[in-house]
Amino acid sequence: MDRYERILTLHRMLKSAHYPIPLPRLLGELECSRATLYRDVAFLRDALGAPIESAGGDSAAFRYALGEGERFELPGLWLTSDELAALLALNELMGRSGPGVLAGALAPFKARIEGLLTDQGSGTALPLERIRVIPWGERRLDQQVFRTVAGAVLRRRQLRFRYRARTTNADSHRTVSPQRLTHYRDNWYLDVWDHDREALRSFAVDRIAEAQALEQPAIDVSEGDLNDLLASSYGIFAGKPKAWATLRFSAHAARWVADEHWHSQQKGEWLPDGRYELKVPYSNSKELLMDVLKYGPDAEVVAPMSLREEMKILLQLALGGYQ
């Protein structure tokens, strides 16, 4: 690994360690020589201000000083792209959230984020205005409803609301135990235990109206059960996978698709002719087909046959609009 990766790994190991880490273990984890490790430790301590304590000799070991180590973080310049994206997304989310329970819950993170995104060498804030986070497909949200829903989730109270399904436009009244809020593709979804239907369900928060938090405590469902039903299939649609979709992309589109994350269990392979084949589990085909359609002639649904036929029908209907 390069120096950047070593510094990040060393920081995370020292940050999470309850006891001094022996030198041999650090050398093995960082895959470097003793001299290189000591140079990295010196840089982390002297240039970045890490509160490193060490014991010398044959039993050399390193740790962060108690108290100071818990507060120390690497400056924003040393964040990975994933960490930077997460911090910026959270910062953006706080900026867009109106006053309420969620804003209150996120408020303690604001100073923390500002500290992480500051050049600790000079103490000046990094120019975050030069990094953009662009919302896409965000739907209008009733902020009062959102505050009620978020409050019920965080305070673990049952919730009653009216829901208008987007597919049928039909109204229904639900009494639920809210489990978690999910922010997916710039929109909010509420995972719940539906008391009337005695099943797990997921609702788009922008379709919820007349939300009312109840005094009764919410029934908790284990995270494993939530993920099995609500996170094991492709996209936001709930349900255990009923099949695996096999998708094939042209050599041109493959340069993008091969680097994309579609699902935690996806399987991909390059074909001899330069095309790329991707397999993902799905329950409801709607969102999957919409995502395949955006690739136009560069994408083909190979299997199962029922999914392939469904795609053919969608393409024929779309073509019919141009006749």
Side-chain angles (χ1 to χ4, degrees), residues 15-277:
K15 181 84 172 174
S16 61
H18 297 291
Y19 302 98
I21 304 175
L23 178 64
R25 182 185 163 198
L26 289 173
L27 293 175
E29 291 283 346
L30 299 175
E31 302 173 348
C32 67
S33 68
R34 185 187 184 105
T36 297
L37 174 62
Y38 275 99
R39 282 196 297 270
D40 289 344
V41 168
F43 178 79
L44 188 57
R45 181 188 60 232
D46 301 333
L48 300 181
I52 297 178
E53 295 178 338
S54 61
D58 295 333
S59 58
F62 300 87
R63 66 179 293 176
Y64 277 167
L66 294 177
E68 288 184 74
E70 295 175 2
R71 295 188 295 271
F72 175 75
E73 293 290 353
L74 292 177
L77 208 56
W78 286 84
L79 296 171
T80 66
S81 61
D82 286 345
E83 291 167 337
L84 179 60
L87 284 175
L88 290 173
L90 184 56
N91 199 44
E92 176 78 8
L93 189 59
M94 286 190 293
R96 288 189 294 176
S97 297
V101 173
L102 187 65
L106 293 176
F109 294 103
K110 189 166 182 62
R112 184 80 162 174
I113 290 173
E114 290 173 351
L116 286 170
L117 298 176
T118 297
D119 184 343
Q120 295 191 4
S122 64
T124 58
L126 298 174
L128 293 185
E129 67 276 5
R130 295 189 177 275
I131 302 175
R132 293 196 300 165
V133 178
I134 302 175
W136 182 86
E138 182 181 12
R139 298 188 291 268
R140 287 193 301 273
L141 198 62
D142 185 320
Q143 291 299 319
Q144 179 58 47
V145 168
F146 181 74
R147 286 193 287 271
T148 301
V149 168
V153 171
L154 296 174
R155 291 173 177 147
R156 310 305 306 127
R157 291 289 183 265
Q158 290 186 26
L159 189 66
R160 183 179 296 133
F161 56 81
R162 178 171 60 84
Y163 189 75
R164 174 163 291 185
R166 184 168 276 105
T167 51
T168 62
N169 210 36
D171 276 355
S172 62
H173 289 82
R174 309 292 182 111
T175 300
V176 305
S177 283
Q179 302 300 313
R180 61 189 180 191
L181 272 171
T182 299
H183 194 244
Y184 177 73
R185 296 190 176 186
D186 275 319
N187 288 289
W188 288 99
Y189 296 86
L190 177 66
D191 297 336
V192 307
W193 173 259
D194 190 320
H195 291 277
D196 298 322
R197 289 153 180 79
E198 297 186 343
L200 289 170
R201 293 288 187 268
S202 187
F203 297 96
V205 177
D206 58 283
R207 304 295 287 182
I208 291 177
E210 301 170 14
Q212 177 187 0
L214 306 178
E215 290 301 318
Q216 293 92 325
I219 296 174
D220 288 332
V221 178
S222 72
E223 187 175 1
D225 289 339
L226 286 172
N227 290 334
D228 283 345
L229 189 66
L230 302 177
S232 57
S233 292
Y234 184 83
I236 196 64
F237 292 103
K240 292 186 177 181
K242 67 179 182 182
W244 280 75
T246 300
L247 314 171
R248 198 168 289 159
F249 298 87
S250 70
H252 174 72
R255 297 197 292 270
W256 283 268
V257 177
D259 293 329
E260 291 178 348
H261 175 81
W262 288 52
H263 191 271
S264 60
Q265 299 176 43
Q266 70 185 47
K267 301 173 184 178
E269 65 172 327
W270 288 93
L271 302 179
D273 59 2
R275 291 182 298 168
Y276 189 77
E277 189 170 277

